[in-house]
Amino acid sequence: MDQTLVKEITYVELDQLELQQKDCVFFDIREDYDFEEGHIPGASHCPMEFVSEQVKTLEKATPIVLYCQSGRRSGPTAVFLERECGFSEVFSLKGGYEAY
């Protein structure tokens, strides 16, 4: 998948986005054991294989931020949500949980 189209956001920018837009959805797409070992406060746990199902209840304009361990899986997942599911504001947390 073409990673050049991924919109990345840093943790600092994420704080600003959340302050500006209270309806921002933040998904930790890592596996259960990763989430249980530690996660970013305020993130909902939604393993990558369930993301497309989970977002069906959201408005297409809802800002969505995804993160995995390093950003390698959240980037392609963000592109998928834009291209295939029609969301307009999807971001991958730059550096993933490791950057947090």
Side-chain angles (χ1 to χ4, degrees):
M1 190 161 289
D2 186 2
Q3 289 261 327
T4 60
L5 300 176
V6 174
K7 294 181 210 166
E8 289 189 315
I9 190 168
T10 67
Y11 192 70
V12 171
E13 292 168 332
L14 175 64
D15 281 345
Q16 295 168 355
L17 178 68
E18 287 184 322
L19 289 174
Q20 294 170 5
Q21 300 178 4
K22 301 292 184 192
D23 61 346
C24 179
V25 177
F26 194 28
F27 288 129
D28 180 326
I29 65 168
R30 300 175 302 152
E31 298 298 325
D32 293 341
Y33 57 87
D34 291 321
F35 186 80
E36 290 169 9
E37 286 181 9
H39 56 275
I40 298 172
S44 296
H45 183 230
C46 183
M48 187 172 65
E49 63 268 18
F50 301 113
V51 170
S52 61
E53 194 63 33
Q54 185 71 28
V55 298
K56 287 182 178 179
T57 62
L58 301 175
E59 297 290 326
K60 298 295 183 190
T62 301
I64 300 172
V65 178
L66 306 170
Y67 78 90
C68 59
Q69 191 65 25
S70 65
R72 290 185 189 155
R73 291 174 289 161
S74 59
T77 305
V79 171
F80 170 79
L81 289 179
E82 285 190 334
R83 286 185 183 168
E84 304 298 324
C85 299
F87 286 88
S88 59
E89 206 170 352
V90 185
F91 303 91
S92 174
L93 185 62
K94 187 173 185 172
Y97 186 70
E98 290 173 356
Y100 170 72

